[in-house]
Amino acid sequence: MKNIKLLMVLSMVLLLFGCDVDYKDNPNEPTSVPTSTIFNNTLKNLVDNTRNGFSAGRFTYCTMQYWQQSEYGDEDRYVYRESMRQNQNNLYNRLANFKEIIDLNTGEDTKALAAASGSNANQIAVCRIMMAYTFDYMASTWGDIPYYSYGSDNPDFQALHVSGYPVEEQILSPKYATQEQIYTDILKELSESAKQLDPNSPGMAGDNLYGGDVQKWKLFANSLRLRIANKIKGANPSLAQAAMNEALASGVFTSNADNAMFGYESEDKNASMMYRAWHVNNRSDFAIGHSFMTLLKGENLVDTATHVNVVAGANPNPFKGMVDPRLPIYAKPNSKGNYVGMFIAESSSDAATFTYESLPGAAIIDDPTYSETLLEYAEICFILSELNNWDQGWYEKGIRASMEKWGVASDAIDAYIAAVPAASEENVLTQKYIALYMQGQASWAEYRRTGYPKTLIPPFKDYALYIPSEDRWLNKAFNPLVKEVTDLPYRMRYPAQEQTLNGDNRKEAVSRLENGDVIYSKLWWDVN
Amino acid sequence: MKKLLLLLFTVILASSGMMAQKMVHGTVTDDSGEALIGASVVVKGNPSNGTITDLDGKFKMKVANDAKTLVVSFIGYTPMEVEIGPSGEVMVSLASGVQLENVVVTALGLPKEKKALGYAVQEVGGEALTKANQTDAISALSGRVSGVQISSSTNMGGSSRILIRGANSITQGNQPLFIVDGIPMDNSNFSGSGASSGYGGVDFGNLMNDLNPDEIESVSVLKGPAAALYGSRAANGVVLITTKKGNKGSKGFSVDFTSKVGFESVATLPKLQRKYGGGAIVSGGVNGFKQVEYNGQKYLAPQYQVDESWGPKYDANVKVVHWDGFKEDGSIETRPWVAPVHDVEDFWDRGLTLSNAIGISKTGADYTTRFAYKNTKVAGTMPNSSMGKNDFKLAADVNLSERLNISSNLNFVKTNTIGRPTLGYTDNSVGQKFFQWGQRQLDFERLKAYKTSTGQQRTWNRQSFFDPTPKYSDNPYWTAYENAPEDSRNRLFGSLSASYELLKNLKLKGSVYGDYYNYLIRQKTAIGSQSQSAFSEATRENSEFNYESVLTYTKEFNDFSFTGLAGLNKRVTRYDFLSGNSSGGLIVPGVYNLKNSVSSAIINDYTSEKEVNSTFFTVGFDYKRMLYLEGSYRTDWSSTLPDDNNKYSYPSISGSFVFSELFNLPWLNLGKIRAGWAEVGSDTRPYNVFATYGYNSSGAFMGTPRTFVKGSLLNEDLKSETTRSREVGLDLILFNRRVDIAFTYFSNTTFDQIMPLQISNTTGYSSKYINAGEMSNKGVELSLNLVPVSLKDFEWSLGFNYTKVNNKLEKLYGDLKSLDIQRAPFGGVFLRASLGDTYGMLWGTDFIYDKNGNKVIDSDGFYMATPSLVPLGSVLPDYTLGITNSFNYKNFDLNVLFDIRKGGIFYSLSHMWGMYSGMYEETAGVNDKGNEIRDPVTDGDDTGGLILEGVTGTVTFDDDGNYTVTETKPNEKYVSGKDWAQGHYHGFGYPSAQSVFKADYIKLRELTFGYTLPTKMFKGFVKSARVALYGKNLLTFGLDKEGFDPEMTSNGSGNIQGIEGGLQPTFKSYGIILNFNF
C-alpha cells in the first residue's frame, strides 16, 4: 500500500517536469507550393477584381456610359460604395502575391524549387509586368499610392515592405509615392522586364494569359509601355517619348493574335464575371447606356425641347447615320426587338418604370467562357494613328482589328470602313472609345486625357430618349449626386480605412490633390 | 514540490495524539444535504478537542472515551448538539434559517464558506433560473448576477452573450469559460460573422444551449481573481455550474417530474405604414398605376418589380391586379387597392414549447445516483420551424472504502432543429423583406399560397405583369418552407474521478473530463428561388479532454488552519471541419445532396489541434476564522505559441478580514472586507505563428491548381497575453439577516494582447499577428438583498444587481488610433476599437450641431453631415441593473424580475432602408399643417412635405474636420417627404446617425406566479408539488426608437455587437409549469 502511495506521489513529481509541449504545425496548409499555382490564382483574381460588377459594371462602365444601371442609379450619379473604394485592398494583396513569386525566384533557398514552374528570370519578369499593369490601374484610379518596385531602394517606395523583411524593417504604414515617381518607375520596370524575358528558357507555368509564351509577354510589356507612356505624355513629354520610341523599337502587338485576353471556364464557379452576375447571382442590374446606344445607332444625343438638337455640351455623333456593325454583338435587342439604351436613373422606382432597355450582348453576359481584354491590337493602332498625326491607315486598321476581335463579318467591316469619316482627333478617339467597350478603365483614362468622346451625357444636362415600340419620348435629366462635379469623375476616393490605418501618409497624399480626396481632383497626367 | 510534501508529512506526524481515546467520525451537511466544508465539530465541554469538516463535509477525530456530546456549528446555521452513539458515527444536518449567506462553489468545484473568500463570488440557485422556463442557462442569468452583462436574442435556440466585468480582449473572444461539474464545456457559436454583423446568416446559437437548465443545482460566477486558478481561458471569468446529484446521507429514493407548456408571440416590431401601397406612382398612369392591356382588357397594375412602398394611396374604389390576381387558368382577378387585413405580424406563428423532465435519485449512506431525462419539443415562431431535444444524464458517486471514492457523470444531448431564422441583409432573411424592402399592401394570408400546382414559386415581386419569376424577393413562405436550414447536434460530456485519502487530510484526486460533439448543418436554396439554387452541408466535430490530478491537504492547529492544493492538468482539444457547397446550382429539385450539384461541389476541410499542460498550486491560511489569506500560482505550456515562448506563469492572491468577529453586535451578522489581485496569462488560437499558403476553395483553374499568400501576416515571436485584475469589496449582513450587501470595486487590464492587428492594406496584408494593446475595465458591482417584510405567512424580498463598467482602450500599437472590428453592410457605420474610447465604438457620419445642440440643415432643407466618420457612441452599456422582487404568501409566491440597461447604442440598417423604401409609419405621416408629407411641396397652405427640425447656418470647417456654426436661423423649408425618407441613406451624403439609436431598455424580464400544493392532500405519496404560471419578456419600456428593441441586434456571442442588418422581432413567452416530487 505504501508503495502505491509513493508511486502516485512520484508520478506527480515526474509529470511536473514533463509539462512542456511542442508547437503544433498547421496540418491544413502547405509551407511550400509551386509558384505556378500562386501565379494562376493571382492573375485570375486580378482580372476578377478589375472586371466585376462593381469595379467595372457599376464603376467604369457606368461612368463611361457604356452601361447604366437598370435598378439603382447611385453609382451612375457618382455615389460610389465604400466597397468600390476598398477594391484597392484586393489589388495590393494581388501585388503581394506577385511579389511572393519574385521572392521565391530570387531567394537562395527557394529559387531552385521555384524553377519547376519556369525559369527564374522569366517568372520574375512576368510578375514585374503584372505588377506594372496593376500599379498603373491603381495610380490611374486613385492617384498617388504607396508603391513597390522590384530591386529598387527608393526610400519613397514603401508598399509591400513587410513579408521577407526583418521585423524591425517592416513598414506597416507606407508612404504614398507621387504619380510621377510611380510612372517613371513603371516605364522602367516594363523596359527592364521585357529585356529580362528569355524566350530560350521555360516560360511561366500556370499562365492563363499567354500560356507561358515568353515572346508574347515581351510584346505585351512593350505595348503596355506604349499605352502608359501615351497616357502620361502631357505631364512628362520627354519621359513618354523615350519610352514610346523604345517600346516601338523593341516590338509591340501586330495583330489580334497578340492580344492580352483572359478567358474563363464554362463551369459556374470559374465563369466570367458578367456571366456570374446574370446567371449565378441572378441579377440583371445593367443595360446598355443611352448615350452609347445612340452613338452605335448613328444617332445624336438630343435635347428635351426639340428632340432633334444635340444636348448642350455634347457634340453631334461623328458617325451619324452609320449603324455600327458591332451593335448586335455589344447589345441585345429588347423584348420588342428594338435597341433602346437605359437612361441614368434618378431612383430605383424611376429605373423600374422603364422596361424597354437593351441588355449587353449574349457573348458578354451569356457565355461563361467570355474573355476579358487587358490590351489589344486595336488600341495600339489607334495610338499609332494619334502618334502619326491622326493617321488614316492606323485608324482604319484599328477599326478593323476591333471589329475582327468581336467577330464582325468581313464584308460588313469593309462596308463600314469605306463609309467612315476620315481620321481626325475626334473620329479616332471616338472610334477608340467604341473599341474600348468592356475595357472601362482604359476608356476612362482616355476620356480624362483627351476629353473624348464628346457624345456622353454631360453632368446636369437634360436629354431625351425615344421608345420606338410606343413611339414616345421620355425627357430625362442627369443630376450627379456630387454637386461639385463639372465633368466626369477624375478619380476614385481612397479607401476610408486608410484614414485610421495610415492616416498621416494619406493626409500628406491628399494635400497634394487640388481639391482633396474627392472625385473631382485631377490626376497628375490629366492635363487637358 | 518535494519540499512541500516533506513539510506536509512533518506536520502530520507532529499532530498525532497519544491518550485513551475513541474514534468518532461522521458527515455534516446542510438541510438540503449539501456537504458543509469547514464546519466546526468540538467536544462539548472541551472546545480544544475539535476539528473541521473536509471537502466532503466529513470529519474524523479521536475523543476522550468519556466524551458524550459533540457541538457542531457553522456560520449562518443553527449550531447543534449531537450524542455520540456506540458506533462512533455521527450524521448531522444543520438547519439554516436564512439562505442569504451560504457555502459557494469556487474554483475547481471546491465548496467554500462564503465568509472565507477574498473575492466576490455570486451564486444563483437552479430554482431561480428555471422559474420562468428558461431554455438556456446563460440568458437565465440576465439580471441575477452583479458584474455580469448579458445580451440574448429571443430567436428559437438563439445566441446569448455574457460579459463578466466588461470586455477584456480587443479581437479575441470575451466569453467566460463554462465549467459543468468540473467539465470545461465548449461554448462556440457557429453563426458566423454574417449573422451578428448584419450581412446575413443563420443564428445557430451558442453551444452552451446544450445544457439542460432543469438539471442545474446552482451557478457560481467567478469574476476576476476568483477565476485565476482555471488558467488561460478564465481571463474572462468562469461560469461554474453544478448539476443535481442527489444527496449522500439522505437515504432514500426520490422522483421528480416537471412538465412545462410555453407559448411565444411577437413582442416588439417596427411600426409600418398602412396608407400607401408598393411601387412608385407612375406619372401619366391611371390613379398612379400603369395600365396594361391583356387579352383585350385593360388593367391597372402595381409595380410588382419595385420592392419599395412609394406607390399610390389606398383607395377601395380602385381595383388593381394584385400579385396573386394571375390565376393558373390564365384569368385575371382584380381587387381593391387597400391595406392588408393580415399584415406582417401575422407571418409569425404562435410558438409552442413542450417539455417533460424526469429525475430519479437513489441515495444511501455511501453512494448517490441520479438518472435524468428531458424531452423538449418546440414549434418556433418562424413558420415551419421546430426543434426537438433529448437530454440524458447519469451520475453516480460511490465511496468504495473509507478512503476511496469514485464518481462519474455522463450526459448525452441530441438536438434537431429545422427552420432557424436567417437574419441580416441576405436573400433568406424575411426581416429584410418586411422591414427594409417590400410592398405594404401585401396580405399575409394570401402570401401563404406560395407555390403553383406545378411547384413554381408565386412571389409578389414578379419581374413584370407578364413574367412571374422573382425579381429580388422570394415569397416569405417560400423562404420558410422551401429554404429552411436544418441542423443537428449530438453532444456527449462527462467525467470520471477517483479520490483517495493518502494520509489523514491528504487527498489525491484524479479526474478525466471529456466534452465531445458533432454538429451537422444543412442549408438550402430551392430551385425556383430568386437566387441560384444551392445546397451546403457542414459537419464539425470537436473534442476536449482534460486529465487532472489534484492533491489537497487541510490542517488545523490552534487558532490557525491551513489548506494546500497542488494540481496538474493536461488539456487536449481537436476540431475537425468538413463542408461541401454545391456549385452552379442544383440539377434536380428537392434533392439536397452534394452530388446533385451542377458543377462539382466545393469542399472545405480544416483540422485544428491544441494541447495545453498546466501545473497549479494554492495555499490558504486562516486565523481564528477572522483573517483569511489565499494565494495561487499556475503555469501553462501551450502548443499554440512558439516553442521558446510557450510557457507562462501567473499568480493570484486574495484575503479577507471578518471584522464582525471582533464585536458582538446583534445587528451585525457579518461584516467583512476583502481584496484580491490576480494575473491570468492567455495563449492564442492554433496556427498564428508560422505562415502557410492558402488553397483556393474553388479548386484548379484551367487545369492548374491555385494557392495564395494569405492576407494575414503571422508572427514567429508571439508570446502570451496577460489579464491583470484587482478588486476590493465589502460584505455586510445586517439586522438579523434582513439586509445583505456585497459591494465590489474592480479593475481589470489586459495587455500584450495577441491580435491580428489591422494594418494598411498597402502593405499587401490586411493584418499582422502581434502582441499589442491594452484595455481596461474599471467598475463597481453591487448586489443588495433586502427582506423589507417578513411575517408569519407573508414575506417580501427584494434584490438588486447593479453593474457599472467603464471600459477604455488604453493603448493600441504605434501611431494607430483605431482598429475596425466590423463594417456595417453598406458602410454606414464601422464598429471600431478606438484609442482612449470605450470598446466597441460605432463610427459614422453624424449630424452637424450648432452650439445649442440644434441639428444644422443645409440650404436644400436637409440634414448636414460631418464630412468624415466620427465616434457616435459605444455599443456597450454604461450600467445594467436587475431588480428581483419575491412575495410569498402562505403557499403562493410571486416573482418579478426587471432588467434595466442604460447606455450604449446600436445601428439599424433596417431603419435606414425601411425609411428609404417608404415602409415605416413616419414615411406616411402628416406635417404641421395637417397635410400628408407625401403630398407635393407647394408654396401654399396645401403644401405636403415637412420641415426638418433644426436650424440653418453657415458651417466652417478647419483642416482637422472641426467646425463652427454661425448665423443660425430656424429652418422653415419644406422638403418632400420621399426625399427626406430616402435621405436616410448615408450614401447620399446625409448622416448615418439618423439610424443610430440608444440601446436603453427596461424589461419585465420574468414574472412567475406559483402555488405550492399542500402535501397533506397527497397523503405522503407526493413529497412536494407546485404549479406556476410564468411570463418572459412581457413588457419593454424606455426604447429610444419605438419598435426597435436593442436585443434585435443580439445575434452572436462575439465582439460584433450593435449592428442590425435585417431584423427579427423580439418575442415574449408565457406558459405553465407543473412540478412533482415523489
Side-chain angles (χ1 to χ4, degrees), chain B residues 83-213:
Chain B
E83 299 296 318
I84 301 169
S87 70
E89 185 176 359
V90 178
M91 297 292 240
V92 187
S93 173
L94 293 183
S96 68
V98 188
Q99 288 285 338
L100 293 178
E101 176 216 356
N102 212 325
V103 165
V104 291
V105 180
T106 65
L108 298 176
L110 303 176
K112 282 190 185 165
E113 193 188 350
K114 213 171 168 181
K115 177 181 169 185
L117 301 177
Y119 41 75
V121 175
Q122 201 168 349
E123 191 168 78
V124 182
E127 190 196 337
L129 298 180
T130 50
K131 263 187 180 140
N133 190 14
Q134 294 291 357
T135 46
D136 69 287
I138 299 177
S139 63
L141 289 173
S142 193
R144 297 195 184 278
V145 186
S146 67
V148 170
Q149 294 169 323
I150 288 165
S151 41
S152 310
S153 92
T154 55
N155 298 323
M156 177 179 73
S159 298
S160 299
R161 181 180 198 232
I162 173 168
L163 282 183
I164 298 180
R165 291 184 178 169
N168 290 313
S169 173
I170 301 168
T171 58
Q172 306 210 75
N174 277 305
Q175 294 302 283
L177 173 65
F178 284 82
I179 306 256
V180 177
D181 295 330
I183 309 160
M185 296 280 287
D186 186 86
N187 187 30
S188 296
N189 191 314
F190 297 116
S191 306
S193 67
S196 49
S197 62
Y199 282 83
V202 178
D203 180 4
F204 287 105
N206 35 310
L207 294 200
M208 274 315 290
N209 288 352
D210 285 341
L211 187 71
N212 172 7

Side-chain angles (χ1 to χ4, degrees), chain A residues 321-338:
Chain A
M322 298 178 68
V323 176
D324 195 299
R326 284 166 289 195
L327 173 60
I329 302 164
Y330 281 8
K332 279 183 189 177
N334 68 9
S335 59
K336 307 279 187 218
N338 300 312

Side-chain angles (χ1 to χ4, degrees), chain B residues 551-850:
Chain B
L551 192 64
T552 52
Y553 179 73
T554 54
K555 181 65 193 167
E556 191 171 0
F557 38 113
N558 299 329
D559 289 336
F560 289 94
S561 71
F562 167 85
T563 57
L565 177 154
L568 292 170
N569 186 291
K570 183 185 190 71
R571 165 155 59 103
V572 181
T573 54
R574 185 186 167 100
Y575 170 74
D576 286 285
F577 171 76
L578 184 62
S579 77
N581 288 290
S582 68
S583 168
L586 301 177
I587 305 167
V588 174
V591 178
Y592 294 102
N593 186 293
L594 291 170
K595 293 189 291 263
N596 193 31
S597 171
V598 169
S599 303
S600 53
I602 295 170
I603 57 160
N604 195 0
D605 181 5
Y606 179 81
T607 297
S608 83
E609 290 176 298
K610 178 170 175 175
E611 198 175 311
V612 179
N613 290 347
S614 312
T615 60
F616 48 89
F617 305 92
T618 68
V619 283
F621 297 95
D622 80 67
Y623 172 68
K624 286 192 170 175
R625 303 177 51 70
M626 182 168 74
L627 277 171
Y628 293 86
L629 194 64
E630 190 175 356
S632 77
Y633 190 78
R634 180 169 171 131
T635 304
D636 292 342
W637 289 262
S638 168
S639 73
T640 63
L641 292 171
D643 280 342
D644 50 357
N645 248 343
N646 71 352
K647 176 189 173 188
Y648 47 99
S649 304
Y650 40 92
S652 83
I653 186 158
S654 66
S656 62
F657 170 44
V658 185
F659 59 81
S660 52
E661 295 281 312
L662 291 179
F663 316 106
N664 193 9
L665 298 171
W667 56 270
L668 180 64
N669 307 99
L670 176 79
K672 175 175 107 174
I673 52 171
R674 54 186 153 78
W677 179 94
E679 278 189 357
V680 175
S682 293
D683 56 353
T684 177
R685 284 184 287 267
Y687 320 133
N688 288 337
V689 176
F690 297 107
T692 50
Y693 295 93
Y695 291 105
N696 188 315
S697 59
S698 294
F701 178 68
M702 299 284 184
T704 305
R706 283 182 283 175
T707 66
F708 55 89
V709 176
K710 301 210 283 190
S712 185
L713 203 62
L714 305 184
N715 187 341
E716 297 179 13
D717 299 324
L718 227 47
K719 57 178 190 184
S720 65
E721 68 176 44
T722 305
T723 302
R724 182 177 294 149
S725 50
R726 279 157 290 190
E727 68 172 68
V728 290
L730 173 71
D731 294 337
L732 288 174
I733 300 176
L734 307 171
F735 308 118
N736 204 19
R737 305 174 183 281
R738 297 278 282 267
V739 177
D740 182 337
I741 302 168
F743 171 85
T744 307
Y745 168 81
F746 60 85
S747 165
N748 306 337
T749 308
T750 302
F751 51 93
D752 285 343
Q753 298 204 11
I754 297 173
M755 59 171 142
L757 180 81
Q758 262 179 332
I759 54 178
S760 169
N761 281 270
T762 63
T763 59
Y765 295 84
S766 53
S767 63
K768 178 185 175 179
Y769 272 87
I770 205 162
N771 286 96
E774 181 178 324
M775 191 146 74
S776 71
N777 290 284
K778 294 178 177 139
V780 293
E781 60 196 35
L782 173 69
S783 74
L784 172 62
N785 291 290
L786 303 172
V787 186
V789 181
S790 181
L791 303 170
K792 182 169 170 281
D793 285 334
F794 179 75
E795 188 173 274
W796 172 31
S797 59
L798 181 59
F800 298 88
N801 286 302
Y802 173 82
T803 308
K804 179 167 173 58
V805 184
N806 288 326
N807 169 290
K808 191 175 168 192
L809 183 63
E810 307 273 2
K811 282 183 201 158
L812 218 42
Y813 179 81
D815 300 332
L816 196 65
K817 302 282 188 302
S818 69
L819 279 181
D820 285 357
I821 302 163
Q822 181 66 48
R823 169 182 173 268
F826 297 92
V829 296
F830 285 74
L831 182 66
R832 287 179 175 165
S834 43
L835 198 63
D837 289 334
T838 306
Y839 182 67
M841 189 59 84
L842 284 182
W843 287 62
T845 52
D846 201 356
F847 295 97
I848 300 265
Y849 292 97
D850 73 3

Side-chain angles (χ1 to χ4, degrees), chain B residues 98-375:
Chain B
V98 188
Q99 288 285 338
L100 293 178
E101 176 216 356
N102 212 325
V103 165
V104 291
V105 180
T106 65
L108 298 176
L110 303 176
K112 282 190 185 165
E113 193 188 350
K114 213 171 168 181
K115 177 181 169 185
L117 301 177
Y119 41 75
V121 175
Q122 201 168 349
E123 191 168 78
V124 182
E127 190 196 337
L129 298 180
T130 50
K131 263 187 180 140
N133 190 14
Q134 294 291 357
T135 46
D136 69 287
I138 299 177
S139 63
L141 289 173
S142 193
R144 297 195 184 278
V145 186
S146 67
V148 170
Q149 294 169 323
I150 288 165
S151 41
S152 310
S153 92
T154 55
N155 298 323
M156 177 179 73
S159 298
S160 299
R161 181 180 198 232
I162 173 168
L163 282 183
I164 298 180
R165 291 184 178 169
N168 290 313
S169 173
I170 301 168
T171 58
Q172 306 210 75
N174 277 305
Q175 294 302 283
L177 173 65
F178 284 82
I179 306 256
V180 177
D181 295 330
I183 309 160
M185 296 280 287
D186 186 86
N187 187 30
S188 296
N189 191 314
F190 297 116
S191 306
S193 67
S196 49
S197 62
Y199 282 83
V202 178
D203 180 4
F204 287 105
N206 35 310
L207 294 200
M208 274 315 290
N209 288 352
D210 285 341
L211 187 71
N212 172 7
D214 286 341
E215 277 299 303
I216 296 178
E217 178 76 38
S218 71
V219 178
S220 271
V221 179
L222 309 185
K223 320 159 197 174
L229 198 56
Y230 275 111
S232 300
R233 292 185 299 176
N236 297 309
V238 175
V239 178
L240 207 56
I241 295 167
T242 310
T243 69
K244 293 176 183 168
K245 287 190 186 64
N247 307 311
K248 237 180 269 180
S250 63
K251 290 180 190 173
F253 172 70
S254 86
V255 177
D256 48 272
F257 181 77
T258 306
S259 190
K260 302 179 183 181
V261 184
F263 303 95
E264 269 188 292
S265 59
V266 171
T268 309
L269 128 171
K271 293 231 181 269
L272 299 170
Q273 58 94 0
R274 287 175 59 84
K275 275 189 197 169
Y276 300 87
I281 291 170
V282 175
S283 60
V286 179
N287 293 322
F289 293 96
K290 184 174 173 175
Q291 203 164 43
V292 181
E293 199 171 308
Y294 178 71
N295 281 351
Q297 284 269 8
K298 284 187 171 166
Y299 297 101
L300 296 188
Q303 290 178 306
Y304 314 100
Q305 74 275 30
V306 177
D307 53 356
E308 297 176 14
S309 287
W310 296 106
K313 198 168 184 183
Y314 293 135
D315 182 345
N317 297 319
V318 174
K319 294 201 168 178
V320 306
V321 184
H322 284 268
W323 69 276
D324 59 337
F326 302 89
K327 300 297 165 194
E328 284 194 38
D329 61 7
S331 66
I332 300 275
E333 177 200 86
T334 63
R335 292 199 314 275
W337 183 248
V338 291
V341 177
H342 300 277
D343 210 337
V344 170
E345 60 273 16
D346 294 333
F347 175 75
W348 287 281
D349 293 338
R350 179 180 302 271
L352 174 65
T353 303
L354 284 173
S355 73
N356 291 293
I358 185 164
I360 301 166
S361 298
K362 175 93 168 73
T363 56
D366 51 10
Y367 72 94
T368 71
T369 54
R370 181 172 173 84
F371 172 79
Y373 170 72
K374 182 182 182 185
N375 173 276

Side-chain angles (χ1 to χ4, degrees), chain A residues 1 29 71 265 348 498, chain B residues 308 472 500 607 702 710 760:
Chain A
M1 200 64 191
E29 289 170 342
E71 312 293 351
E265 285 183 355
S348 48
E498 277 290 285
Chain B
E308 297 176 14
Y472 309 112
Y500 186 75
T607 297
M702 299 284 184
K710 301 210 283 190
S760 169

Side-chain angles (χ1 to χ4, degrees), chain A residues 1 5 8-9 11-13 15-16 18-34 36-42 44-45 70-72 74 77 79 81-83 86 88-89 92-93 96-97 100 104 146 158-163 167 170-174 176 205-208 262-265 267-270 279-285 347-350 352-353 355-356 481 483 493 496-502 504 507, chain B residues 1-2 5 280 282 290 303 305-308 403 437 471-472 500 502-503 508 529-532 549 551 566 568 583-585 599-602 605-607 609-611 613-615 617 637-643 646 687-696 698 700-711 713 717 757-765 768 813 816-818 820 823 826 830 832 860 868 916 960 978 982 985 987-988:
Chain A
M1 200 64 191
K5 283 182 214 164
M8 284 168 118
V9 172
S11 58
M12 268 190 75
V13 173
L15 266 169
L16 267 181
C19 277
D20 202 357
V21 295
D22 289 331
Y23 180 79
K24 284 196 187 286
D25 283 318
N26 189 340
N28 304 291
E29 289 170 342
T31 48
S32 170
V33 291
S36 60
T37 62
I38 306 177
F39 189 79
N40 182 24
N41 191 65
T42 311
K44 176 171 185 296
N45 283 348
S70 52
E71 312 293 351
Y72 306 95
D74 303 345
R77 298 198 294 154
V79 172
R81 298 169 211 214
E82 177 58 33
S83 59
Q86 285 184 5
Q88 203 188 76
N89 301 349
Y92 273 110
N93 185 268
N97 277 271
E100 179 84 3
L104 291 172
Q158 299 186 347
L160 313 182
H161 215 285
V162 177
S163 175
V167 174
Q170 294 183 350
I171 298 176
L172 301 185
S173 316
Y176 284 56
D207 160 25
N208 288 309
F262 190 87
Y264 285 85
E265 285 183 355
E267 276 204 352
D268 274 9
K269 62 183 172 190
N270 290 324
H279 299 281
V280 179
N281 304 323
N282 280 356
R283 302 282 302 201
S284 179
D285 288 316
S347 70
S348 48
S349 41
D350 184 34
T353 57
T355 52
Y356 311 96
L481 291 163
K483 301 280 187 293
R493 297 175 63 198
Q497 286 177 324
E498 277 290 285
Q499 281 181 50
T500 49
L501 300 176
N502 197 10
D504 294 343
K507 207 169 176 179
Chain B
M1 188 66 209
K2 277 178 185 164
L5 285 172
V282 175
K290 184 174 173 175
Q303 290 178 306
Q305 74 275 30
V306 177
D307 53 356
E308 297 176 14
R403 292 183 154 185
W437 304 99
K471 178 82 173 169
Y472 309 112
Y500 186 75
L502 295 168
L503 297 165
L508 179 67
S529 300
Q530 187 271 338
S531 50
Q532 188 181 59
S549 51
L551 192 64
L568 292 170
S583 168
S599 303
S600 53
I602 295 170
D605 181 5
Y606 179 81
T607 297
E609 290 176 298
K610 178 170 175 175
E611 198 175 311
N613 290 347
S614 312
T615 60
F617 305 92
W637 289 262
S638 168
S639 73
T640 63
L641 292 171
D643 280 342
N646 71 352
Y687 320 133
N688 288 337
V689 176
F690 297 107
T692 50
Y693 295 93
Y695 291 105
N696 188 315
S698 294
F701 178 68
M702 299 284 184
T704 305
R706 283 182 283 175
T707 66
F708 55 89
V709 176
K710 301 210 283 190
L713 203 62
D717 299 324
L757 180 81
Q758 262 179 332
I759 54 178
S760 169
N761 281 270
T762 63
T763 59
Y765 295 84
K768 178 185 175 179
Y813 179 81
L816 196 65
K817 302 282 188 302
S818 69
D820 285 357
R823 169 182 173 268
F826 297 92
F830 285 74
R832 287 179 175 165
D860 294 335
S868 52
Y916 180 96
D960 296 325
K978 184 176 176 181
Q982 298 207 323
Y985 175 40
F988 292 151

